[in-house]
């Protein structure tokens, strides 16, 4: 079962219901070596689902002290594909190692 690390709108109940049709159970974790900033979203459907015109986006940094807090969710392969459809082209999905030793998919700057 895939793990998905979210640091942004995929943690919101309304986005989970719109994207997956259910609420996800997760636990806190941190992604090490990344910096977070905000990105203007121009996709009307994504803005409607999230209720926000700006979403967080992360970039790798050269500093291992940089951390991004978020949640780890166990999801199905189908739900991972649904998350891919939700994310706009400014993001790409990669596997990353979290501070707790877990590997999870995460969306970073494309």
């Amino acid at each position: 079962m895939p793990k998905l690390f979210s640091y942004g709108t995929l943690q919101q109940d309304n986005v989970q219901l719109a994207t997956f049709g259910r609420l996800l159970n997760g636990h806190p974790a941190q992604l090490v070596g990344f910096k977070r900033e905000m990105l203007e979203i121009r996709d009307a459907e994504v803005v409607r689902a999230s209720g926000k015109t700006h979403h967080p986006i992360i970039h790798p940094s050269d500093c291992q002290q940089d951390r991004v807090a978020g949640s780890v969710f166990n999801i199905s392969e189908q739900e991972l594909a649904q998350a891919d459809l939700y994310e706009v082209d400014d993001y790409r999905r990669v596997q990353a190692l979290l501070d707790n030793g877990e590997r999870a998919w995460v969306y970073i700057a494309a």
Side-chain angles (χ1 to χ4, degrees):
M1 181 170 268
K3 292 184 184 298
L4 177 64
F5 176 77
S6 174
Y7 54 88
T9 59
L10 284 173
Q11 295 178 92
Q12 295 176 208
D13 289 353
N14 61 322
V15 173
Q16 291 177 11
L17 289 171
T19 305
F20 309 115
R22 70 179 182 102
L23 294 178
L24 304 178
N25 293 317
H27 59 274
Q30 292 188 354
L31 185 59
V32 179
F34 283 82
K35 282 190 172 184
R36 180 179 151 156
E37 60 185 47
M38 297 303 285
L39 171 74
E40 182 179 3
I41 302 298
R42 293 188 171 98
D43 184 307
E45 186 64 23
V46 173
V47 171
R48 185 195 60 72
S50 71
K52 298 177 180 177
T53 59
H54 289 75
H55 291 192
I57 192 165
I58 59 173
H59 300 271
S61 81
D62 293 328
C63 180
Q64 291 300 299
Q65 312 303 37
D66 291 334
R67 292 175 177 251
V68 175
S71 298
V72 180
F73 302 105
N74 290 316
I75 60 173
S76 69
E77 291 289 343
Q78 179 182 351
E79 289 170 329
L80 187 58
Q82 290 168 292
D84 286 344
L85 292 174
Y86 170 76
E87 297 295 351
V88 296
D89 290 343
D90 295 290
Y91 295 86
R92 67 183 172 103
R93 179 167 49 95
V94 299
Q95 277 219 320
L97 183 64
L98 304 175
D99 67 328
N100 61 10
E102 290 180 285
R103 283 209 162 276
W105 292 109
V106 60
Y107 293 95
I108 69 170

